[in-house]
Coordinates of all heavy atoms in Angstrom, one line a residue:
M159 N 64.0 119.9 93.7 CA 63.5 118.6 93.3 C 62.8 118.7 91.9 O 62.0 119.6 91.7 CB 62.5 118.0 94.3 CG 61.9 116.7 93.9 SD 60.7 116.1 95.2 CE 60.1 114.7 94.3
D160 N 63.1 117.8 91.0 CA 62.5 117.8 89.7 C 61.1 117.0 89.8 O 61.1 115.9 90.3 CB 63.4 117.1 88.7 CG 62.8 117.2 87.3 OD1 62.7 118.3 86.8 OD2 62.5 116.1 86.8
I161 N 60.1 117.6 89.3 CA 58.8 117.0 89.2 C 58.5 116.9 87.7 O 58.2 118.0 87.1 CB 57.7 117.7 90.0 CG1 58.1 117.7 91.5 CG2 56.4 117.0 89.9 CD1 57.2 118.5 92.4
K162 N 58.4 115.8 87.2 CA 58.3 115.6 85.7 C 56.9 115.9 85.2 O 56.8 116.4 84.1 CB 58.8 114.3 85.3 CG 60.3 114.0 85.6 CD 60.8 112.8 84.8 CE 62.3 112.7 85.1 NZ 63.1 113.8 85.0
A163 N 55.9 115.5 86.0 CA 54.6 115.6 85.4 C 53.5 115.4 86.6 O 53.9 115.1 87.7 CB 54.4 114.4 84.4
P164 N 52.3 115.7 86.2 CA 51.2 115.3 87.2 C 51.3 113.8 87.4 O 51.8 113.1 86.6 CB 49.9 115.7 86.5 CG 50.3 116.6 85.4 CD 51.7 116.3 85.0
F165 N 50.9 113.4 88.6 CA 51.1 112.0 89.0 C 50.5 111.0 87.9 O 51.1 110.0 87.7 CB 50.6 111.7 90.4 CG 51.2 112.5 91.4 CD1 50.5 113.1 92.4 CD2 52.6 112.7 91.4 CE1 51.1 113.9 93.4 CE2 53.3 113.4 92.4 CZ 52.5 114.0 93.4
E166 N 49.4 111.3 87.4 CA 48.7 110.4 86.4 C 49.5 110.3 85.1 O 49.3 109.4 84.3 CB 47.3 110.8 86.2 CG 47.1 112.1 85.4 CD 47.0 113.3 86.3 OE1 47.3 113.2 87.5 OE2 46.6 114.4 85.8
K167 N 50.4 111.2 84.8 CA 51.2 111.2 83.6 C 52.7 110.7 83.8 O 53.5 110.6 82.9 CB 51.2 112.5 82.9 CG 50.0 112.9 82.3 CD 50.2 114.2 81.5 CE 48.9 114.6 80.7 NZ 49.2 115.9 80.0
Y168 N 53.0 110.5 85.1 CA 54.4 110.2 85.4 C 55.0 109.0 84.7 O 56.1 109.1 84.2 CB 54.6 110.1 86.9 CG 55.7 110.9 87.5 CD1 55.4 112.2 88.0 CD2 57.0 110.5 87.5 CE1 56.3 113.0 88.5 CE2 58.0 111.3 88.0 CZ 57.7 112.5 88.5 OH 58.6 113.3 89.0
N169 N 54.3 107.9 84.6 CA 54.9 106.7 84.0 C 55.1 107.0 82.5 O 56.1 106.5 82.0 CB 53.9 105.5 84.2 CG 53.9 105.1 85.6 OD1 54.7 105.4 86.4 ND2 52.8 104.4 85.9
I170 N 54.2 107.7 81.9 CA 54.4 108.0 80.4 C 55.6 108.9 80.2 O 56.4 108.6 79.3 CB 53.1 108.6 79.9 CG1 51.9 107.7 80.0 CG2 53.3 109.1 78.4 CD1 50.6 108.3 79.8
L171 N 55.7 110.0 80.9 CA 56.8 110.9 80.7 C 58.1 110.4 81.1 O 59.2 110.8 80.5 CB 56.5 112.2 81.4 CG 55.8 113.2 80.4 CD1 54.4 112.8 80.2 CD2 55.9 114.6 81.0
S172 N 58.2 109.6 82.2 CA 59.5 109.1 82.6 C 59.9 107.9 81.8 O 61.1 107.5 81.8 CB 59.4 108.8 84.1 OG 58.6 107.7 84.3
G173 N 59.0 107.2 81.2 CA 59.3 106.0 80.4 C 59.5 104.7 81.2 O 59.9 103.7 80.7
V174 N 59.2 104.8 82.5 CA 59.3 103.7 83.4 C 58.2 103.7 84.5 O 57.6 104.8 84.6 CB 60.7 103.6 84.2 CG1 61.8 103.4 83.3 CG2 60.9 104.9 85.1
K175 N 57.9 102.6 85.1 CA 56.9 102.6 86.2 C 57.5 103.4 87.4 O 58.6 103.1 87.8 CB 56.5 101.2 86.5 CG 55.4 101.1 87.5 CD 54.8 99.8 87.6 CE 53.8 99.6 88.7 NZ 52.9 100.7 88.9
V176 N 56.7 104.3 87.9 CA 57.1 105.2 89.0 C 56.1 105.0 90.1 O 54.9 105.1 89.9 CB 57.2 106.6 88.5 CG1 57.5 107.5 89.7 CG2 58.2 106.8 87.4
D177 N 56.6 104.9 91.3 CA 55.8 104.9 92.5 C 55.6 106.3 92.9 O 56.4 106.9 93.6 CB 56.5 104.1 93.6 CG 55.6 103.9 94.9 OD1 54.6 104.6 95.0 OD2 56.0 103.2 95.8
T178 N 54.4 106.9 92.5 CA 54.2 108.3 92.8 C 54.0 108.6 94.3 O 54.1 109.7 94.7 CB 53.0 108.8 92.0 OG1 51.8 108.0 92.2 CG2 53.3 108.8 90.5
D179 N 53.6 107.5 95.0 CA 53.5 107.7 96.5 C 54.9 108.1 97.1 O 55.0 109.0 98.0 CB 53.0 106.5 97.2 CG 51.5 106.3 97.0 OD1 50.8 107.2 96.7 OD2 51.1 105.1 97.1
E180 N 56.0 107.6 96.5 CA 57.3 108.0 97.0 C 57.6 109.4 96.6 O 58.3 110.1 97.3 CB 58.4 107.0 96.4 CG 58.3 105.6 96.9 CD 58.5 105.5 98.5 OE1 59.4 106.2 99.0 OE2 57.7 104.8 99.1
I181 N 57.2 109.8 95.4 CA 57.3 111.2 95.0 C 56.6 112.2 96.0 O 57.1 113.2 96.4 CB 56.9 111.5 93.6 CG1 57.9 110.7 92.7 CG2 56.9 112.9 93.2 CD1 57.5 110.6 91.2
K182 N 55.4 111.8 96.3 CA 54.6 112.6 97.2 C 55.3 112.7 98.6 O 55.3 113.8 99.2 CB 53.2 111.9 97.4 CG 52.3 112.0 96.2 CD 51.0 111.2 96.4 CE 50.3 111.0 95.0 NZ 49.1 110.2 95.2
K183 N 55.8 111.6 99.1 CA 56.6 111.6 100.3 C 57.8 112.5 100.2 O 58.1 113.3 101.2 CB 57.0 110.2 100.7 CG 55.9 109.3 101.2 CD 56.5 107.9 101.5 CE 55.4 106.9 101.7 NZ 56.0 105.5 101.9
S184 N 58.5 112.5 99.1 CA 59.7 113.3 98.9 C 59.3 114.8 99.0 O 60.0 115.6 99.6 CB 60.4 113.0 97.6 OG 60.9 111.7 97.7
I185 N 58.2 115.1 98.3 CA 57.7 116.5 98.3 C 57.4 117.0 99.7 O 57.9 118.1 100.1 CB 56.4 116.7 97.4 CG1 56.8 116.5 95.9 CG2 55.8 118.0 97.6 CD1 55.6 116.4 95.0
E186 N 56.7 116.2 100.5 CA 56.4 116.5 101.8 C 57.6 116.7 102.7 O 57.8 117.6 103.5 CB 55.4 115.5 102.4 CG 54.0 115.6 101.8 CD 53.4 117.0 101.8 OE1 53.3 117.6 102.9 OE2 53.0 117.5 100.8
M187 N 58.6 115.7 102.6 CA 59.8 115.8 103.4 C 60.6 117.1 103.1 O 61.1 117.7 104.0 CB 60.7 114.6 103.0 CG 60.2 113.3 103.7 SD 61.1 111.8 103.2 CE 62.8 112.3 103.4
I188 N 60.6 117.4 101.8 CA 61.4 118.6 101.4 C 60.7 119.9 101.9 O 61.3 120.8 102.5 CB 61.5 118.7 99.9 CG1 62.5 117.6 99.4 CG2 61.9 120.1 99.4 CD1 62.6 117.4 97.9
K189 N 59.4 120.0 101.8 CA 58.6 121.1 102.2 C 58.8 121.4 103.7 O 58.8 122.6 104.1 CB 57.1 121.0 101.9 CG 56.8 121.1 100.4 CD 55.4 120.8 100.1 CE 54.3 121.4 100.9 NZ 52.9 121.1 100.4
Y190 N 58.9 120.4 104.5 CA 58.9 120.5 105.9 C 60.3 120.3 106.5 O 60.5 120.1 107.7 CB 57.9 119.6 106.6 CG 56.5 120.0 106.2 CD1 55.8 119.2 105.3 CD2 55.9 121.2 106.6 CE1 54.5 119.6 104.8 CE2 54.6 121.6 106.1 CZ 54.0 120.7 105.3 OH 52.7 121.1 104.8
S191 N 61.3 120.3 105.7 CA 62.7 120.0 106.1 C 63.4 121.1 106.9 O 64.3 120.9 107.6 CB 63.6 119.6 104.9 OG 63.7 120.8 104.1
G192 N 62.9 122.4 106.6 CA 63.5 123.5 107.2 C 64.7 124.0 106.5 O 65.4 125.0 106.9
V193 N 65.1 123.4 105.3 CA 66.1 123.9 104.5 C 65.6 124.6 103.2 O 64.4 124.3 102.8 CB 67.1 122.8 104.1 CG1 67.8 122.2 105.3 CG2 66.4 121.7 103.3
S194 N 66.4 125.4 102.6 CA 65.9 126.1 101.3 C 65.7 125.0 100.3 O 66.5 124.0 100.2 CB 67.0 127.1 100.9 OG 67.1 128.1 101.8
Y195 N 64.7 125.2 99.4 CA 64.5 124.3 98.3 C 63.7 125.0 97.2 O 63.2 126.1 97.4 CB 63.6 123.1 98.9 CG 62.2 123.5 99.3 CD1 61.2 123.6 98.4 CD2 62.0 123.9 100.6 CE1 59.9 124.0 98.8 CE2 60.7 124.3 101.0 CZ 59.7 124.3 100.1 OH 58.4 124.8 100.5
E196 N 63.7 124.3 96.1 CA 62.8 124.7 95.0 C 62.4 123.4 94.2 O 63.1 122.4 94.2 CB 63.5 125.7 94.0 CG 64.6 125.1 93.1 CD 65.2 126.1 92.2 OE1 65.3 127.2 92.5 OE2 65.5 125.7 91.1
F197 N 61.2 123.5 93.6 CA 60.7 122.5 92.8 C 60.8 123.0 91.3 O 60.8 124.2 91.1 CB 59.3 122.1 93.1 CG 59.1 121.6 94.5 CD1 58.7 122.3 95.5 CD2 59.4 120.2 94.7 CE1 58.6 121.8 96.8 CE2 59.2 119.7 96.0 CZ 58.8 120.5 97.0
R198 N 61.0 122.1 90.4 CA 61.1 122.5 89.0 C 60.5 121.4 88.1 O 60.5 120.2 88.4 CB 62.6 122.8 88.6 CG 63.5 121.6 88.7 CD 64.9 121.9 88.3 NE 65.8 120.8 88.5 CZ 66.3 120.4 89.6 NH1 66.1 121.1 90.7 NH2 67.1 119.3 89.7
T199 N 60.1 121.9 86.9 CA 59.5 121.0 85.9 C 60.0 121.5 84.6 O 60.1 122.7 84.3 CB 58.0 121.1 85.9 OG1 57.5 120.6 87.2 CG2 57.4 120.3 84.8
T200 N 60.4 120.6 83.7 CA 60.8 121.0 82.3 C 59.5 120.9 81.5 O 58.8 119.8 81.5 CB 61.8 120.0 81.8 OG1 63.0 120.1 82.6 CG2 62.2 120.3 80.3
Y201 N 59.1 122.0 80.9 CA 57.8 122.2 80.2 C 58.0 121.8 78.8 O 58.5 122.6 78.0 CB 57.3 123.6 80.4 CG 56.0 123.8 79.8 CD1 54.9 123.0 80.1 CD2 55.7 125.0 79.1 CE1 53.7 123.2 79.6 CE2 54.4 125.2 78.6 CZ 53.4 124.3 78.8 OH 52.2 124.6 78.3
A202 N 57.6 120.6 78.4 CA 57.6 120.1 77.0 C 56.2 120.3 76.5 O 55.3 119.5 76.9 CB 58.1 118.7 76.9
K203 N 55.9 121.2 75.6 CA 54.6 121.5 75.2 C 53.9 120.3 74.5 O 52.7 120.2 74.4 CB 54.6 122.7 74.3 CG 54.9 124.0 75.1 CD 54.8 125.2 74.3 CE 55.2 126.4 75.1 NZ 55.3 127.7 74.4
L204 N 54.7 119.4 73.9 CA 54.2 118.2 73.3 C 53.6 117.2 74.3 O 52.8 116.4 74.0 CB 55.2 117.5 72.5 CG 55.7 118.2 71.2 CD1 56.9 117.4 70.6 CD2 54.6 118.3 70.2
L205 N 54.1 117.3 75.6 CA 53.8 116.3 76.6 C 53.0 116.9 77.7 O 52.3 116.2 78.4 CB 55.1 115.7 77.1 CG 56.0 115.1 76.1 CD1 57.4 114.7 76.8 CD2 55.4 113.9 75.4
L206 N 53.1 118.2 78.0 CA 52.4 118.8 79.1 C 51.6 120.0 78.7 O 51.9 120.6 77.6 CB 53.5 119.3 80.2 CG 54.3 118.2 80.9 CD1 55.4 118.9 81.7 CD2 53.5 117.3 81.7
N207 N 50.7 120.4 79.5 CA 49.9 121.6 79.2 C 49.8 122.5 80.4 O 50.3 122.1 81.5 CB 48.5 121.2 78.6 CG 47.7 120.4 79.5 OD1 47.6 120.6 80.7 ND2 47.2 119.3 79.0
D208 N 49.1 123.6 80.3 CA 49.0 124.5 81.4 C 48.3 123.9 82.6 O 48.6 124.1 83.7 CB 48.3 125.8 81.0 CG 49.1 126.7 80.0 OD1 50.4 126.4 79.9 OD2 48.6 127.6 79.4
S209 N 47.3 123.1 82.3 CA 46.6 122.4 83.4 C 47.5 121.5 84.2 O 47.4 121.4 85.4 CB 45.4 121.6 82.8 OG 44.8 120.8 83.8
D210 N 48.4 120.8 83.5 CA 49.4 120.0 84.2 C 50.3 120.8 85.1 O 50.6 120.3 86.3 CB 50.3 119.3 83.2 CG 49.5 118.3 82.3 OD1 48.6 117.7 82.8 OD2 49.9 118.1 81.1
L211 N 50.7 122.0 84.7 CA 51.5 122.8 85.6 C 50.7 123.3 86.8 O 51.3 123.3 87.9 CB 52.0 124.0 84.8 CG 53.0 123.7 83.6 CD1 53.4 125.0 82.9 CD2 54.2 123.0 84.1
I212 N 49.5 123.5 86.6 CA 48.6 123.9 87.7 C 48.5 122.8 88.7 O 48.6 123.0 90.0 CB 47.2 124.4 87.2 CG1 47.4 125.7 86.5 CG2 46.2 124.5 88.4 CD1 46.2 126.1 85.7
K213 N 48.3 121.5 88.2 CA 48.3 120.4 89.1 C 49.6 120.2 89.9 O 49.5 120.0 91.1 CB 48.0 119.1 88.3 CG 46.7 119.0 87.8 CD 46.5 117.7 87.0 CE 45.2 117.6 86.3 NZ 45.1 116.4 85.5
I214 N 50.7 120.4 89.3 CA 52.0 120.3 90.0 C 52.1 121.4 91.0 O 52.5 121.1 92.1 CB 53.2 120.3 89.0 CG1 53.1 119.1 88.0 CG2 54.5 120.4 89.7 CD1 54.0 119.2 86.8
K215 N 51.7 122.6 90.7 CA 51.8 123.7 91.7 C 50.9 123.3 92.9 O 51.3 123.6 94.0 CB 51.4 125.0 91.0 CG 51.5 126.2 91.9 CD 52.9 126.5 92.3 CE 52.9 127.8 93.0 NZ 54.2 128.1 93.7
H216 N 49.8 122.7 92.6 CA 48.9 122.3 93.7 C 49.6 121.3 94.6 O 49.4 121.4 95.8 CB 47.6 121.8 93.2 CG 46.6 121.3 94.2 ND1 45.9 122.1 95.0 CD2 46.3 120.0 94.6 CE1 45.2 121.4 95.9 NE2 45.4 120.1 95.6
Y217 N 50.3 120.3 94.0 CA 51.0 119.3 94.8 C 52.0 119.9 95.8 O 52.2 119.5 96.9 CB 51.8 118.4 93.9 CG 51.0 117.6 92.9 CD1 51.7 117.0 91.8 CD2 49.7 117.3 93.0 CE1 51.0 116.3 90.9 CE2 49.0 116.6 92.1 CZ 49.7 116.0 91.0 OH 49.0 115.3 90.1
I218 N 52.7 120.9 95.3 CA 53.8 121.5 96.1 C 53.4 122.6 97.0 O 54.1 123.0 97.9 CB 55.0 121.9 95.1 CG1 54.6 123.1 94.2 CG2 55.5 120.8 94.3 CD1 55.7 123.7 93.4
G219 N 52.3 123.2 96.7 CA 51.8 124.3 97.5 C 52.0 125.7 96.9 O 53.0 125.8 96.2
E220 N 51.1 126.6 97.1 CA 51.2 127.9 96.5 C 52.4 128.7 96.9 O 52.9 129.5 96.1 CB 49.9 128.7 96.8 CG 48.6 128.1 96.1 CD 48.8 128.0 94.6 OE1 49.2 129.0 94.0 OE2 48.4 127.0 94.0
D221 N 52.9 128.5 98.1 CA 54.1 129.2 98.6 C 55.4 128.7 98.1 O 56.4 129.3 98.4 CB 54.0 129.3 100.1 CG 52.8 130.1 100.6 OD1 52.3 131.0 99.8 OD2 52.4 129.9 101.7
A222 N 55.4 127.5 97.6 CA 56.7 126.9 97.2 C 57.3 127.6 96.0 O 56.6 128.1 95.1 CB 56.5 125.4 96.9
I223 N 58.6 127.6 95.9 CA 59.3 128.1 94.8 C 59.2 127.0 93.7 O 59.5 125.9 93.9 CB 60.8 128.4 95.1 CG1 60.9 129.5 96.1 CG2 61.6 128.7 93.8 CD1 62.3 129.7 96.6
F224 N 58.7 127.5 92.5 CA 58.4 126.6 91.4 C 59.0 127.2 90.1 O 58.6 128.2 89.6 CB 56.9 126.3 91.2 CG 56.5 125.3 90.2 CD1 57.3 124.2 90.0 CD2 55.4 125.5 89.4 CE1 56.9 123.2 89.0 CE2 55.0 124.6 88.4 CZ 55.8 123.5 88.3
K225 N 60.1 126.5 89.6 CA 60.8 127.0 88.4 C 60.3 126.1 87.2 O 60.3 124.9 87.3 CB 62.3 126.9 88.5 CG 62.9 127.6 89.7 CD 63.1 129.0 89.3 CE 63.6 129.8 90.5 NZ 64.9 130.4 90.4
I226 N 60.0 126.8 86.1 CA 59.6 126.0 84.9 C 60.6 126.3 83.9 O 60.9 127.4 83.5 CB 58.2 126.5 84.4 CG1 57.2 126.3 85.5 CG2 57.8 125.8 83.1 CD1 55.8 127.0 85.2
N227 N 61.3 125.2 83.5 CA 62.3 125.2 82.5 C 61.7 124.9 81.1 O 60.9 124.0 81.0 CB 63.4 124.2 82.8 CG 64.1 124.5 84.1 OD1 64.4 125.6 84.5 ND2 64.2 123.4 84.9
D228 N 62.2 125.6 80.1 CA 61.7 125.3 78.7 C 62.4 124.0 78.2 O 63.6 123.9 78.4 CB 62.0 126.4 77.8 CG 61.1 127.6 78.0 OD1 59.9 127.4 78.5 OD2 61.5 128.8 77.9
F229 N 61.7 123.2 77.6 CA 62.2 122.0 77.0 C 62.8 122.3 75.6 O 62.3 123.1 74.8 CB 61.1 120.9 76.7 CG 61.5 119.7 76.0 CD1 62.2 118.7 76.7 CD2 61.2 119.5 74.7 CE1 62.6 117.6 76.0 CE2 61.6 118.4 74.0 CZ 62.3 117.4 74.7
V230 N 64.0 121.8 75.3 CA 64.7 122.0 74.1 C 64.7 120.7 73.3 O 65.2 119.7 73.8 CB 66.2 122.5 74.3 CG1 66.9 122.6 73.0 CG2 66.2 123.8 75.1
M231 N 64.0 120.7 72.2 CA 63.8 119.5 71.4 C 65.2 119.0 70.8 O 66.0 119.8 70.3 CB 62.9 119.8 70.2 CG 62.6 118.6 69.3 SD 61.8 117.2 70.1 CE 60.1 117.7 69.8
S232 N 65.4 117.7 70.9 CA 66.6 117.1 70.3 C 66.2 115.6 69.9 O 65.5 115.0 70.7 CB 67.7 117.1 71.4 OG 68.7 116.2 71.0
E233 N 66.7 115.2 68.8 CA 66.5 113.8 68.4 C 67.0 112.8 69.4 O 66.6 111.7 69.5 CB 67.1 113.6 67.0 CG 66.4 114.3 65.9 CD 67.0 114.0 64.6 OE1 67.7 113.0 64.4 OE2 66.8 114.9 63.7
K234 N 68.1 113.2 70.2 CA 68.7 112.3 71.2 C 67.8 112.2 72.4 O 67.9 111.3 73.2 CB 70.0 112.9 71.6 CG 71.1 112.8 70.4 CD 72.4 113.4 70.9 CE 73.4 113.5 69.8 NZ 74.6 114.0 70.2
V235 N 66.9 113.2 72.6 CA 66.1 113.2 73.8 C 64.8 112.5 73.6 O 64.3 111.8 74.5 CB 65.9 114.7 74.3 CG1 65.0 114.7 75.5 CG2 67.3 115.3 74.6
I236 N 64.2 112.7 72.5 CA 62.8 112.3 72.3 C 62.6 111.7 70.9 O 63.3 112.1 70.0 CB 61.8 113.5 72.5 CG1 60.4 113.0 72.7 CG2 61.9 114.5 71.4 CD1 59.5 114.1 73.3
S237 N 61.8 110.6 70.9 CA 61.6 110.0 69.6 C 60.1 109.9 69.3 O 59.3 109.8 70.2 CB 62.2 108.6 69.6 OG 61.5 107.8 70.5
P238 N 59.7 109.9 68.0 CA 58.3 109.8 67.7 C 57.6 108.6 68.2 O 56.4 108.6 68.4 CB 58.3 109.8 66.1 CG 59.6 110.4 65.7 CD 60.6 110.0 66.9
E239 N 58.4 107.5 68.4 CA 57.8 106.3 69.0 C 57.1 106.4 70.3 O 56.3 105.7 70.7 CB 58.8 105.1 69.0 CG 59.3 104.7 67.7 CD 60.5 105.6 67.1 OE1 61.2 106.2 67.9 OE2 60.5 105.7 65.9
M240 N 57.6 107.5 71.0 CA 57.1 107.7 72.4 C 55.6 108.0 72.3 O 54.9 107.9 73.3 CB 57.8 109.0 72.9 CG 58.4 108.7 74.3 SD 59.2 110.2 74.8 CE 58.3 110.5 76.3
F241 N 55.1 108.5 71.2 CA 53.7 109.0 71.1 C 52.8 108.0 70.4 O 51.7 108.3 70.1 CB 53.7 110.3 70.3 CG 54.5 111.4 71.0 CD1 55.7 111.7 70.5 CD2 54.0 112.0 72.1 CE1 56.5 112.7 71.1 CE2 54.8 113.0 72.7 CZ 56.0 113.3 72.2
T242 N 53.3 106.8 70.1 CA 52.5 105.7 69.5 C 52.1 104.7 70.4 O 52.5 104.6 71.5 CB 53.2 105.1 68.3 OG1 54.4 104.5 68.7 CG2 53.5 106.1 67.2

Protein backbone atom coordinates (compact mmCIF):
# COMPACT_ATOMS: atom_id res chain seq x y z
CA MET A 1 0.00 0.00 0.00
CA ASP A 2 1.25 3.44 -0.90
CA ILE A 3 1.15 5.99 1.91
CA LYS A 4 1.84 9.41 0.44
CA ALA A 5 2.34 11.46 3.59
CA PRO A 6 1.54 11.93 7.25
CA PHE A 7 -2.20 12.36 7.59
CA GLU A 8 -1.99 16.11 8.20
CA LYS A 9 -0.17 16.60 4.86
CA TYR A 10 -2.22 14.16 2.78
CA ASN A 11 -4.53 16.69 1.10
CA ILE A 12 -1.61 18.90 0.09
CA LEU A 13 0.51 16.10 -1.36
CA SER A 14 -2.29 14.29 -3.11
CA GLY A 15 -3.80 17.47 -4.55
CA VAL A 16 -7.33 16.41 -3.54
CA LYS A 17 -9.36 16.15 -0.35
CA VAL A 18 -8.65 12.76 1.22
CA ASP A 19 -10.56 10.98 3.97
CA THR A 20 -7.60 9.89 6.07
CA ASP A 21 -9.90 7.79 8.27
CA GLU A 22 -10.32 5.50 5.25
CA ILE A 23 -6.54 5.29 4.88
CA LYS A 24 -6.24 4.39 8.56
CA LYS A 25 -8.86 1.65 8.10
CA SER A 26 -6.99 0.31 5.06
CA ILE A 27 -3.72 0.19 7.00
CA GLU A 28 -5.37 -1.78 9.81
CA MET A 29 -7.14 -4.17 7.41
CA ILE A 30 -3.87 -4.90 5.62
CA LYS A 31 -1.87 -5.36 8.84
CA TYR A 32 -4.32 -7.93 10.19
CA SER A 33 -5.25 -9.62 6.90
CA GLY A 34 -2.89 -12.57 7.30
CA VAL A 35 -1.41 -12.03 3.82
CA SER A 36 2.02 -10.70 2.92
CA TYR A 37 2.16 -6.94 2.49
CA GLU A 38 4.41 -3.92 2.42
CA PHE A 39 3.85 -0.22 2.81
CA ARG A 40 5.73 2.31 0.72
CA THR A 41 6.24 6.04 0.44
CA THR A 42 7.85 8.07 -2.31
CA TYR A 43 10.25 10.42 -0.55
CA ALA A 44 10.18 13.83 -2.22
CA LYS A 45 12.57 15.98 -0.19
CA LEU A 46 10.77 19.16 -1.28
CA LEU A 47 7.56 17.87 0.25
CA LEU A 48 8.50 15.46 3.05
CA ASN A 49 11.15 15.32 5.74
CA ASP A 50 12.60 12.69 8.05
CA SER A 51 10.02 13.50 10.73
CA ASP A 52 7.26 12.73 8.21
CA LEU A 53 8.76 9.30 7.53
CA ILE A 54 8.91 8.60 11.26
CA LYS A 55 5.20 9.49 11.58
CA ILE A 56 4.31 7.14 8.72
CA LYS A 57 6.35 4.35 10.28
CA HIS A 58 4.48 4.92 13.53
CA TYR A 59 1.12 4.57 11.69
CA ILE A 60 2.06 1.23 10.17
CA GLY A 61 3.93 -0.21 13.15
CA GLU A 62 7.58 -0.91 13.78
CA ASP A 63 7.38 -4.49 12.49
CA ALA A 64 5.78 -3.62 9.14
CA ILE A 65 7.80 -3.72 5.94
CA PHE A 66 8.29 -0.10 4.86
CA LYS A 67 9.93 0.73 1.53
CA ILE A 68 11.01 4.29 0.79
CA ASN A 69 11.28 5.14 -2.89
CA ASP A 70 13.28 8.12 -4.08
CA PHE A 71 11.31 10.77 -5.91
CA VAL A 72 12.55 11.62 -9.41
CA MET A 73 11.86 15.25 -10.35
CA SER A 74 10.03 15.84 -13.61
CA GLU A 75 8.24 18.87 -15.00
CA LYS A 76 5.36 16.54 -15.88
CA VAL A 77 5.00 15.42 -12.27
CA ILE A 78 5.33 18.58 -10.22
CA SER A 79 4.89 22.27 -10.87
CA PRO A 80 6.05 25.35 -8.94
CA GLU A 81 2.40 26.41 -8.48
CA MET A 82 2.01 23.56 -6.02
CA PHE A 83 4.08 25.51 -3.51
CA THR A 84 2.26 28.86 -3.74
